Amino acid sequence: MITIPDLQTALLDLLYEMQDAEMKLIIGGGFGIYLKTVHVRGLGVKTLLQEWPEPRSTNDIDLFLRPELLIKPAQLKPLAGAFDKLGYQPVPGAEKYQFVKPGPGGVEAGSIKMDILTGPQNRFEGTPVKTDNRRARPNPSVGIHAHPVDEAPTLEKGLLSMRLNGKLSSGESWQAGVFLPHPYTFLMMKLFAFSDRLDDADKEFGRYHALDMYAILATTMENEWNKAIRFRDQYADEPYVMKAGSLVSRYFSALERPGMIRLRESPYYRAGLQLDEFISALREVFPANAEGN
């Protein structure tokens, strides 16, 4: 079974191999939420909600690349080289943007998976990068593609810089800088992911995405919340932001809505979480609009 320390070691190993590249990666997904939780707890600052859920387990790491890295792909050669040196293999059908490092029992047992993602497809208009719904392909090719995330128009805005400390596989202590998405961006991505998986039994009906949304808001610091409100106003006419308001209204606007039911079904849910406050904050940052009513 993959543990959070395993993921931290895997990421540090990757960053160690890329230490001369000066390429800072944006870490999303469940592991990114875990890193944010640890970071904020270490700061000891006040956050939007006082009651936090237990961090959930995960066996993968979402690595977000700034679109500029794909537009000028020579910068990505160290990342491709690091995957190769560390023994990662391409995932069939998702070659060049999903990589897996087999565990002692093979690919399915104890493996670590890394997904490569980037910002919306429209960021690549007028560039050599070819995109579709599945992947962004740099030109010339350097062995790295990325899955475009259209629901992340603010991917590069308000990033949180932090230091990741831990042990390499060699046992040596190491630290490196990474970035975490702004809570507004994180919420957008998790909200759309929940919508996509609401009826998918293989993805736990989106329960972990609903819980992640709570964790993101719970660990939001005051300055981040203020910036989220500015993003709300600045991007109010952006189609995916308008759709986000619709999804919140449909799934998270009251305790009996499907998203709130899924959240309470999560094995990481516990009594005492501030559900009313969560609903209120979510509706404030992604208000209902004409599309959502």
Side-chain angles (χ1 to χ4, degrees), residues 78-285:
L79 178 59
F83 279 134
D84 184 59
K85 184 172 182 178
L86 292 170
Y88 283 85
Q89 302 173 6
V91 174
E95 291 86 356
K96 298 184 180 180
Y97 69 92
Q98 289 184 356
F99 295 86
V100 63
K101 185 174 185 178
V107 172
E108 296 299 327
S111 62
I112 292 175
K113 181 167 166 281
M114 293 202 185
D115 294 346
I116 313 300
L117 306 100
T118 189
Q121 294 182 66
N122 61 18
R123 289 295 309 277
F124 302 104
E125 292 175 359
T127 77
V129 179
K130 297 181 179 179
T131 65
D132 56 34
N133 290 336
R134 291 185 61 204
R135 65 179 75 219
R137 304 172 177 84
N139 182 24
S141 176
V142 292
I144 294 290
H145 293 174
H147 176 69
V149 182
D150 290 335
E151 59 270 25
T154 56
L155 176 64
E156 299 168 81
K157 306 293 185 180
L159 295 171
L160 176 65
S161 176
M162 64 164 288
R163 300 297 293 179
L164 183 65
N165 300 280
K167 298 283 189 180
L168 300 172
S169 294
S170 64
E172 178 185 354
S173 295
W174 182 256
Q175 62 174 282
V178 295
F179 288 98
L180 303 180
H182 189 274
Y184 183 89
T185 306
F186 237 148
L187 281 170
M188 283 271 288
M189 293 190 290
K190 286 295 180 180
L191 177 59
F192 279 87
F194 170 80
S195 178
D196 290 341
R197 291 159 176 77
L198 176 61
D199 299 315
D200 189 345
D202 292 335
K203 298 295 184 180
E204 299 181 28
F205 300 105
R207 294 183 184 104
Y208 58 93
H209 289 305
L211 183 92
D212 284 347
M213 290 172 62
Y214 181 99
I216 291 164
L217 274 176
T219 56
T220 295
M221 297 178 284
E222 183 176 4
N223 65 319
E224 292 178 319
W225 176 251
N226 293 335
K227 185 166 287 188
I229 297 303
R230 292 199 294 272
F231 287 158
R232 177 199 66 188
D233 299 337
Q234 182 180 354
Y235 293 91
D237 296 330
E238 209 280 339
Y240 277 92
V241 171
M242 295 178 67
K243 180 64 175 178
S246 171
L247 295 178
V248 167
S249 178
R250 187 182 311 163
Y251 298 131
F252 292 95
S253 58
L255 289 173
E256 66 273 11
R257 294 290 188 177
M260 298 305 301
I261 293 172
R262 291 288 188 260
L263 191 158
R264 297 197 298 276
E265 290 173 347
S266 168
Y268 295 94
Y269 173 78
R270 63 175 179 80
L273 295 186
Q274 298 166 263
L275 300 186
D276 289 336
E277 292 87 346
F278 167 70
I279 292 171
S280 177
L282 198 56
R283 295 182 70 180
E284 183 175 357
V285 76

